[in-house]
Amino acid sequence: MEINGLDDDLFKRLINNVVTKMNKVQGKQMQADDFKLVLRAKKLTDLSKIPVVVMQLLTVWFDNEPIGESQCEIYSNMIEFLLKRYYKKREIVSEMEDMEVDDCSRDRQIPKCLQNNMYCKVHMELLTKVATLAYNTLFTDNEETSLVFDRRIAKKYLSDPEIEMSLAVGILTQEKVLGKMSIRQSHISFIHKTFQEYLAALYVALSPGMVTNVEEKIKRVCCSIEKILEMSQIFMFLSGLCPKVMVNLDEHLRQTVSEDSMTQKYRGENIF
């Protein structure tokens, strides 16, 4: 189901079952149809095909938290909700009132979609490190470690406590695997590729001093129509988080598409 996505029937069944169960647990009377109307009104039909994202959106909506208007706002709010739930589960929500915004948050221009998210601002240093991990794993020459990677790769950007908190919050997930010589290894990934793409775009937005290096790396990786299509979601996030970068990348993307062998073949077949 995760690989193929949700068809309309599975989507309706998932929503109905989850809302029914959550109503019983929390003593509410929320209606599944109301959630479907929200998704339709916000034109989130593409996201509604992704089970993990649907579940995150459901929990945000069920707790009467703002879902957001743009996709950048939506993913920002889902991460805000994950952080808030992390504290709520540990019954330490009240501590947030006494916590100060990260120096990292003060020193950088926070994207508009995060400016009202208190939990994100308090943990901006952690989010910046997770975003760095997202960017460097997505834009890598080793595609085998792009989406699922060894814990050692995560430790290049995050300390062990930061990895553990990211796992506890739910931004990252971990799977134990049996390695060589019966050594237990850990494979880490983001909760879903779209979260990884959002965070990679956030890294770009938070790194204005490295724009040239970032753009060159993106250009090097996005060297074909296939790779551009593969990265299309991150370009959508970049358009919302740092439109200037997308303006700078636009010419390269157009030229790459124009010169790609697939385009040349299509033009050759339709020349007459």
Side-chain angles (χ1 to χ4, degrees):
M1 182 171 68
E2 184 64 61
I3 295 175
N4 297 325
L6 296 170
D7 59 28
D8 290 340
D9 183 55
L10 282 174
F11 169 71
K12 291 176 183 177
R13 284 163 51 193
L14 175 64
I15 299 303
N16 290 336
N17 291 341
V18 172
V19 171
T20 298
K21 184 172 182 178
M22 292 175 77
N23 277 332
K24 288 182 179 179
V25 171
Q26 299 191 29
K28 294 186 177 182
Q29 294 183 337
M30 306 287 275
Q31 300 297 317
D33 287 341
D34 290 340
F35 177 70
K36 297 171 192 173
L37 287 174
V38 169
L39 294 187
R40 195 174 301 121
K42 294 181 180 293
K43 299 179 181 179
L44 300 178
T45 52
D46 289 342
L47 294 182
S48 68
K49 305 298 182 183
I50 307 171
V52 170
V53 175
V54 170
M55 292 299 296
Q56 293 300 319
L57 289 172
L58 254 177
T59 52
V60 172
W61 168 79
F62 203 88
D63 276 24
N64 296 313
E65 299 287 347
I67 289 179
E69 298 303 321
S70 67
Q71 288 212 23
C72 289
E73 282 188 4
I74 289 166
Y75 277 83
S76 298
N77 291 345
M78 284 194 287
I79 291 177
E80 174 78 356
F81 182 81
L82 287 174
L83 286 165
K84 184 175 182 179
R85 186 177 63 180
Y86 168 83
Y87 280 92
K88 188 175 181 181
K89 282 183 177 180
R90 287 154 181 77
E91 298 181 347
I92 50 178
V93 176
S94 59
E95 292 184 11
M96 288 295 297
E97 298 176 358
D98 300 322
M99 294 179 72
E100 295 185 355
V101 173
D102 270 352
D103 289 338
C104 182
S105 180
R106 290 196 187 95
D107 296 340
R108 301 188 184 196
Q109 183 64 42
I110 301 176
K112 185 178 179 181
C113 59
L114 285 169
Q115 288 177 1
N116 294 322
N117 292 356
M118 179 181 70
Y119 289 82
C120 287
K121 289 199 292 185
V122 166
H123 291 289
M124 189 54 65
E125 182 177 357
L126 174 65
L127 287 182
T128 301
K129 292 182 178 181
V130 174
T132 307
L133 172 65
Y135 170 78
N136 283 289
T137 48
L138 267 184
F139 290 99
T140 178
D141 295 327
N142 186 358
E143 294 188 8
E144 291 184 1
T145 60
S146 178
L147 301 180
V148 180
F149 38 88
D150 190 84
R151 188 183 179 101
R152 288 172 296 182
I153 293 177
K155 288 179 70 173
K156 291 180 180 179
Y157 311 101
L158 297 152
S159 66
D160 280 319
E162 289 168 338
I163 292 174
E164 292 306 320
M165 181 170 181
S166 299
L167 290 168
V169 168
I171 298 174
L172 297 178
T173 63
Q174 179 174 254
E175 180 181 359
K176 297 288 186 179
V177 294
L178 190 62
K180 295 179 181 179
M181 303 296 293
S182 299
I183 298 174
R184 297 295 290 182
Q185 295 179 330
S186 297
H187 282 177
I188 290 177
S189 61
F190 285 83
I191 183 175
H192 189 266
K193 186 185 177 185
T194 52
F195 280 84
Q196 186 177 4
E197 291 165 329
Y198 163 78
L199 287 162
L202 179 62
Y203 168 81
V204 177
L206 294 174
S207 307
M210 299 177 62
V211 167
T212 301
N213 292 336
V214 166
E215 290 176 0
E216 289 304 315
K217 189 168 188 177
I218 293 174
K219 289 176 181 178
R220 188 176 72 250
V221 172
C222 297
C223 56
S224 66
I225 289 179
E226 183 180 2
K227 290 299 295 185
I228 290 173
L229 291 174
E230 186 180 318
M231 297 293 182
S232 60
Q233 185 72 20
I234 193 171
F235 293 140
M236 184 277 295
F237 286 129
L238 282 172
S239 296
L241 289 168
C242 42
K244 288 184 179 179
V245 171
M246 278 309 301
V247 170
N248 294 340
L249 290 172
D250 182 67
E251 183 179 350
H252 166 77
L253 297 177
R254 290 175 183 273
Q255 184 177 350
T256 300
V257 170
S258 177
E259 296 176 354
D260 189 271
S261 59
M262 189 182 300
T263 304
Q264 298 296 327
K265 182 180 179 181
Y266 174 81
R267 286 173 177 170
E269 292 175 350
N270 293 273
I271 195 169
F272 299 110

PDB file of all heavy atoms in Angstrom, residues 87 96 99-103 105 117-126:
ATOM      1  N   TYR A  87       6.294  16.271  23.086  1.00  0.00           N
ATOM      2  CA  TYR A  87       6.251  16.840  24.441  1.00  0.00           C
ATOM      3  C   TYR A  87       4.993  16.408  25.185  1.00  0.00           C
ATOM      4  O   TYR A  87       5.019  16.142  26.385  1.00  0.00           O
ATOM      5  CB  TYR A  87       6.339  18.363  24.372  1.00  0.00           C
ATOM      6  CG  TYR A  87       7.749  18.848  24.189  1.00  0.00           C
ATOM      7  CD1 TYR A  87       8.262  19.077  22.914  1.00  0.00           C
ATOM      8  CD2 TYR A  87       8.593  19.057  25.277  1.00  0.00           C
ATOM      9  CE1 TYR A  87       9.568  19.512  22.734  1.00  0.00           C
ATOM     10  CE2 TYR A  87       9.902  19.493  25.113  1.00  0.00           C
ATOM     11  CZ  TYR A  87      10.383  19.717  23.834  1.00  0.00           C
ATOM     12  OH  TYR A  87      11.674  20.129  23.668  1.00  0.00           O
ATOM     13  N   MET A  96       7.617  24.034  27.618  1.00  0.00           N
ATOM     14  CA  MET A  96       7.839  24.792  26.398  1.00  0.00           C
ATOM     15  C   MET A  96       7.683  26.289  26.635  1.00  0.00           C
ATOM     16  O   MET A  96       8.318  27.099  25.983  1.00  0.00           O
ATOM     17  CB  MET A  96       6.871  24.341  25.310  1.00  0.00           C
ATOM     18  CG  MET A  96       7.185  22.976  24.734  1.00  0.00           C
ATOM     19  SD  MET A  96       8.763  22.962  23.844  1.00  0.00           S
ATOM     20  CE  MET A  96       8.414  24.113  22.520  1.00  0.00           C
ATOM     21  N   MET A  99      10.969  27.676  27.620  1.00  0.00           N
ATOM     22  CA  MET A  99      12.105  27.455  26.727  1.00  0.00           C
ATOM     23  C   MET A  99      12.258  28.624  25.764  1.00  0.00           C
ATOM     24  O   MET A  99      11.269  29.197  25.308  1.00  0.00           O
ATOM     25  CB  MET A  99      11.923  26.147  25.945  1.00  0.00           C
ATOM     26  CG  MET A  99      11.952  24.917  26.819  1.00  0.00           C
ATOM     27  SD  MET A  99      11.717  23.386  25.895  1.00  0.00           S
ATOM     28  CE  MET A  99      13.283  23.257  25.031  1.00  0.00           C
ATOM     29  N   GLU A 100      13.485  28.970  25.471  1.00  0.00           N
ATOM     30  CA  GLU A 100      13.759  30.092  24.583  1.00  0.00           C
ATOM     31  C   GLU A 100      13.964  29.602  23.155  1.00  0.00           C
ATOM     32  O   GLU A 100      14.359  28.468  22.915  1.00  0.00           O
ATOM     33  CB  GLU A 100      15.011  30.842  25.054  1.00  0.00           C
ATOM     34  CG  GLU A 100      14.842  31.507  26.405  1.00  0.00           C
ATOM     35  CD  GLU A 100      16.053  32.331  26.779  1.00  0.00           C
ATOM     36  OE1 GLU A 100      17.047  32.301  26.022  1.00  0.00           O
ATOM     37  OE2 GLU A 100      16.005  33.007  27.819  1.00  0.00           O
ATOM     38  N   VAL A 101      13.695  30.506  22.226  1.00  0.00           N
ATOM     39  CA  VAL A 101      13.922  30.198  20.826  1.00  0.00           C
ATOM     40  C   VAL A 101      15.415  29.989  20.608  1.00  0.00           C
ATOM     41  O   VAL A 101      16.248  30.696  21.162  1.00  0.00           O
ATOM     42  CB  VAL A 101      13.412  31.355  19.931  1.00  0.00           C
ATOM     43  CG1 VAL A 101      13.787  31.130  18.478  1.00  0.00           C
ATOM     44  CG2 VAL A 101      11.904  31.500  20.082  1.00  0.00           C
ATOM     45  N   ASP A 102      15.767  28.975  19.803  1.00  0.00           N
ATOM     46  CA  ASP A 102      17.168  28.676  19.509  1.00  0.00           C
ATOM     47  C   ASP A 102      17.895  29.904  18.982  1.00  0.00           C
ATOM     48  O   ASP A 102      17.342  30.699  18.229  1.00  0.00           O
ATOM     49  CB  ASP A 102      17.252  27.574  18.429  1.00  0.00           C
ATOM     50  CG  ASP A 102      17.276  26.181  19.054  1.00  0.00           C
ATOM     51  OD1 ASP A 102      17.387  26.077  20.281  1.00  0.00           O
ATOM     52  OD2 ASP A 102      17.180  25.205  18.293  1.00  0.00           O
ATOM     53  N   ASP A 103      19.167  30.030  19.370  1.00  0.00           N
ATOM     54  CA  ASP A 103      19.997  31.081  18.791  1.00  0.00           C
ATOM     55  C   ASP A 103      20.042  30.937  17.282  1.00  0.00           C
ATOM     56  O   ASP A 103      20.091  31.919  16.546  1.00  0.00           O
ATOM     57  CB  ASP A 103      21.426  31.003  19.357  1.00  0.00           C
ATOM     58  CG  ASP A 103      21.478  31.437  20.815  1.00  0.00           C
ATOM     59  OD1 ASP A 103      20.557  32.173  21.231  1.00  0.00           O
ATOM     60  OD2 ASP A 103      22.428  31.047  21.518  1.00  0.00           O
ATOM     61  N   SER A 105      17.675  30.035  15.450  1.00  0.00           N
ATOM     62  CA  SER A 105      16.453  30.628  14.919  1.00  0.00           C
ATOM     63  C   SER A 105      16.541  32.140  14.885  1.00  0.00           C
ATOM     64  O   SER A 105      16.033  32.787  13.971  1.00  0.00           O
ATOM     65  CB  SER A 105      15.256  30.186  15.781  1.00  0.00           C
ATOM     66  OG  SER A 105      14.055  30.729  15.301  1.00  0.00           O
ATOM     67  N   ASN A 117       5.261  28.767  14.275  1.00  0.00           N
ATOM     68  CA  ASN A 117       5.382  27.427  14.842  1.00  0.00           C
ATOM     69  C   ASN A 117       6.385  27.436  15.996  1.00  0.00           C
ATOM     70  O   ASN A 117       7.596  27.342  15.775  1.00  0.00           O
ATOM     71  CB  ASN A 117       5.811  26.428  13.761  1.00  0.00           C
ATOM     72  CG  ASN A 117       4.723  26.212  12.721  1.00  0.00           C
ATOM     73  OD1 ASN A 117       3.623  26.743  12.838  1.00  0.00           O
ATOM     74  ND2 ASN A 117       5.026  25.435  11.701  1.00  0.00           N
ATOM     75  N   MET A 118       5.878  27.557  17.222  1.00  0.00           N
ATOM     76  CA  MET A 118       6.719  27.724  18.396  1.00  0.00           C
ATOM     77  C   MET A 118       7.677  26.559  18.597  1.00  0.00           C
ATOM     78  O   MET A 118       8.859  26.754  18.885  1.00  0.00           O
ATOM     79  CB  MET A 118       5.851  27.883  19.648  1.00  0.00           C
ATOM     80  CG  MET A 118       6.653  28.044  20.930  1.00  0.00           C
ATOM     81  SD  MET A 118       5.603  28.190  22.384  1.00  0.00           S
ATOM     82  CE  MET A 118       4.931  26.523  22.499  1.00  0.00           C
ATOM     83  N   TYR A 119       7.176  25.337  18.446  1.00  0.00           N
ATOM     84  CA  TYR A 119       8.012  24.164  18.690  1.00  0.00           C
ATOM     85  C   TYR A 119       9.140  24.085  17.666  1.00  0.00           C
ATOM     86  O   TYR A 119      10.266  23.716  17.999  1.00  0.00           O
ATOM     87  CB  TYR A 119       7.173  22.891  18.663  1.00  0.00           C
ATOM     88  CG  TYR A 119       6.260  22.744  19.858  1.00  0.00           C
ATOM     89  CD1 TYR A 119       5.030  23.387  19.905  1.00  0.00           C
ATOM     90  CD2 TYR A 119       6.633  21.966  20.948  1.00  0.00           C
ATOM     91  CE1 TYR A 119       4.190  23.267  21.009  1.00  0.00           C
ATOM     92  CE2 TYR A 119       5.808  21.830  22.053  1.00  0.00           C
ATOM     93  CZ  TYR A 119       4.586  22.489  22.083  1.00  0.00           C
ATOM     94  OH  TYR A 119       3.780  22.369  23.171  1.00  0.00           O
ATOM     95  N   CYS A 120       8.845  24.422  16.436  1.00  0.00           N
ATOM     96  CA  CYS A 120       9.877  24.423  15.400  1.00  0.00           C
ATOM     97  C   CYS A 120      10.942  25.472  15.700  1.00  0.00           C
ATOM     98  O   CYS A 120      12.143  25.221  15.545  1.00  0.00           O
ATOM     99  CB  CYS A 120       9.256  24.698  14.026  1.00  0.00           C
ATOM    100  SG  CYS A 120       8.297  23.308  13.350  1.00  0.00           S
ATOM    101  N   LYS A 121      10.517  26.647  16.135  1.00  0.00           N
ATOM    102  CA  LYS A 121      11.472  27.724  16.420  1.00  0.00           C
ATOM    103  C   LYS A 121      12.355  27.385  17.617  1.00  0.00           C
ATOM    104  O   LYS A 121      13.547  27.696  17.624  1.00  0.00           O
ATOM    105  CB  LYS A 121      10.731  29.041  16.637  1.00  0.00           C
ATOM    106  CG  LYS A 121      10.123  29.608  15.362  1.00  0.00           C
ATOM    107  CD  LYS A 121       9.794  31.073  15.479  1.00  0.00           C
ATOM    108  CE  LYS A 121       8.674  31.338  16.449  1.00  0.00           C
ATOM    109  NZ  LYS A 121       8.295  32.774  16.455  1.00  0.00           N
ATOM    110  N   VAL A 122      11.766  26.739  18.619  1.00  0.00           N
ATOM    111  CA  VAL A 122      12.552  26.335  19.786  1.00  0.00           C
ATOM    112  C   VAL A 122      13.605  25.298  19.385  1.00  0.00           C
ATOM    113  O   VAL A 122      14.715  25.286  19.914  1.00  0.00           O
ATOM    114  CB  VAL A 122      11.634  25.766  20.889  1.00  0.00           C
ATOM    115  CG1 VAL A 122      12.445  25.028  21.952  1.00  0.00           C
ATOM    116  CG2 VAL A 122      10.835  26.895  21.543  1.00  0.00           C
ATOM    117  N   HIS A 123      13.253  24.448  18.424  1.00  0.00           N
ATOM    118  CA  HIS A 123      14.163  23.373  18.004  1.00  0.00           C
ATOM    119  C   HIS A 123      14.741  23.628  16.615  1.00  0.00           C
ATOM    120  O   HIS A 123      15.011  22.679  15.877  1.00  0.00           O
ATOM    121  CB  HIS A 123      13.426  22.026  18.033  1.00  0.00           C
ATOM    122  CG  HIS A 123      13.095  21.561  19.414  1.00  0.00           C
ATOM    123  ND1 HIS A 123      14.059  21.115  20.297  1.00  0.00           N
ATOM    124  CD2 HIS A 123      11.918  21.506  20.080  1.00  0.00           C
ATOM    125  CE1 HIS A 123      13.484  20.792  21.441  1.00  0.00           C
ATOM    126  NE2 HIS A 123      12.189  21.025  21.337  1.00  0.00           N
ATOM    127  N   MET A 124      14.945  24.893  16.264  1.00  0.00           N
ATOM    128  CA  MET A 124      15.464  25.224  14.944  1.00  0.00           C
ATOM    129  C   MET A 124      16.857  24.652  14.706  1.00  0.00           C
ATOM    130  O   MET A 124      17.193  24.274  13.587  1.00  0.00           O
ATOM    131  CB  MET A 124      15.456  26.739  14.731  1.00  0.00           C
ATOM    132  CG  MET A 124      15.778  27.161  13.306  1.00  0.00           C
ATOM    133  SD  MET A 124      14.718  26.380  12.060  1.00  0.00           S
ATOM    134  CE  MET A 124      13.126  27.094  12.490  1.00  0.00           C
ATOM    135  N   GLU A 125      17.677  24.578  15.752  1.00  0.00           N
ATOM    136  CA  GLU A 125      19.014  24.008  15.579  1.00  0.00           C
ATOM    137  C   GLU A 125      18.907  22.536  15.175  1.00  0.00           C
ATOM    138  O   GLU A 125      19.614  22.070  14.261  1.00  0.00           O
ATOM    139  CB  GLU A 125      19.838  24.136  16.860  1.00  0.00           C
ATOM    140  CG  GLU A 125      21.259  23.588  16.704  1.00  0.00           C
ATOM    141  CD  GLU A 125      22.105  23.770  17.949  1.00  0.00           C
ATOM    142  OE1 GLU A 125      21.625  24.374  18.922  1.00  0.00           O
ATOM    143  OE2 GLU A 125      23.267  23.300  17.925  1.00  0.00           O
ATOM    144  N   LEU A 126      18.029  21.790  15.839  1.00  0.00           N
ATOM    145  CA  LEU A 126      17.828  20.386  15.492  1.00  0.00           C
ATOM    146  C   LEU A 126      17.271  20.264  14.077  1.00  0.00           C
ATOM    147  O   LEU A 126      17.764  19.456  13.274  1.00  0.00           O
ATOM    148  CB  LEU A 126      16.871  19.728  16.485  1.00  0.00           C
ATOM    149  CG  LEU A 126      16.457  18.278  16.147  1.00  0.00           C
ATOM    150  CD1 LEU A 126      17.667  17.353  16.205  1.00  0.00           C
ATOM    151  CD2 LEU A 126      15.355  17.797  17.084  1.00  0.00           C
TER     152      LEU A 126
END
